[in-house]
Amino acid sequence: MPPGAVPWLHDLCRCIARWLYRPACRVRIRGLERVPRTGPVVLVANHSSLIEPQLIFGMLPRRSVFLVKQELFVGAVGWFLHRIGQVPVRRGVPDRSALLTVTRLLRDGGLVGVFPEGTRGSGDVVEAQQGAAWLVRASGAVVLPVAVRGTLRPPGSRWRLRPVVDVFVGEPFGLDVAAGRAGLAQATERIRATLAALVHAVDSARDPHAARHGDR
């Protein structure tokens, strides 16, 4: 855990997050057995709403640290995020301080969560930033892809009654990140393509009617 984190509060919040959305959503989690129980892991997930980070944080069978946009670290919310062990990161620029903090955690055998798209959107993983590949190169961690669908309400639609939300954990894989910018770019593309393929597989498995209307 990062400096200043309170382990018991972290564990309590994991328990709360595990059940927080159950009354409002029908959450289906598959592949949880693929999460490595020990050792350094860089978890990469798609991002289309504020719900994904909390769902993943709650479902994981081990403690996790996520890179969270710096704008949220203000006031009571910022204090709380620090205490449960989350790390602020500046978006759009290489944030060396945040990356070095989580690299140390990875070298100690931790699990770090990254949303490589960088911001919320469709969650299709059309683009990816290089932070995840950089962490893998610096720590030797394995990559764990996680796809989440069903959290994004289709544009113009009304309130949905207990929508189905799918969380699918893919197979962890090792990644050899070569030196230099080219190596980083190639590794980033492999991460992006693997995660995008997992998202597509979840889309294909979901209800066709929902997929046609963007409820993915």
Side-chain angles (χ1 to χ4, degrees):
M1 302 292 291
V6 181
W8 69 263
L9 183 59
H10 177 99
D11 293 339
L12 175 62
C13 290
R14 282 173 56 205
C15 185
I16 293 172
R18 190 172 300 134
W19 301 102
L20 182 63
Y21 291 101
R22 300 283 179 167
C25 303
R26 288 169 287 166
V27 181
R28 303 187 300 197
I29 299 174
R30 291 172 290 170
L32 200 58
E33 70 281 358
R34 300 189 185 106
V35 179
R37 284 350 188 227
T38 60
V41 176
V42 173
L43 183 154
V44 293
N46 62 318
H47 196 19
S48 55
S49 78
L50 291 174
I51 298 176
E52 290 96 3
Q54 299 167 67
L55 279 177
I56 297 171
F57 177 75
M59 68 138 196
L60 288 171
R62 58 184 287 191
R63 290 173 176 169
S64 59
V65 173
F66 280 78
L67 288 168
V68 180
K69 64 180 182 179
Q70 191 175 42
E71 292 89 337
L72 292 178
F73 284 78
V74 294
V77 173
W79 179 91
F80 176 76
L81 289 172
H82 274 299
R83 293 304 178 271
I84 64 171
Q86 307 312 294
V87 175
V89 62
R90 291 175 294 162
R91 296 183 297 172
V93 297
D95 191 338
R96 187 172 180 82
S97 176
L99 292 175
L100 289 176
T101 296
V102 293
T103 296
R104 286 192 290 268
L105 296 172
L106 288 167
R107 289 175 177 170
D108 287 338
L111 187 153
V112 172
V114 178
F115 296 96
E117 291 166 289
T119 188
R120 286 173 286 159
S122 67
D124 294 332
V125 203
V126 177
E127 298 180 349
Q129 297 183 3
Q130 296 183 343
W134 191 94
L135 289 174
V136 171
R137 183 164 68 184
S139 67
V142 299
V143 181
L144 180 69
V146 177
V148 183
R149 282 305 212 189
T151 61
L152 184 64
R153 185 171 65 181
S157 67
R158 297 181 178 180
W159 177 79
R160 301 176 295 167
L161 178 63
R162 299 202 72 225
V164 174
V165 175
D166 286 300
V167 182
F168 191 86
V169 181
E171 292 286 351
F173 62 94
L175 184 61
D176 184 16
V177 185
R181 293 183 179 180
L184 203 58
Q186 290 172 358
T188 297
E189 175 54 23
R190 183 180 173 193
I191 291 173
R192 187 208 65 78
T194 301
L195 182 56
L198 189 65
V199 170
H200 179 71
V202 174
D203 285 346
S204 298
R206 285 173 64 83
D207 180 70
H209 180 268
R212 283 197 303 270
H213 289 81
D215 180 18
R216 301 174 295 177

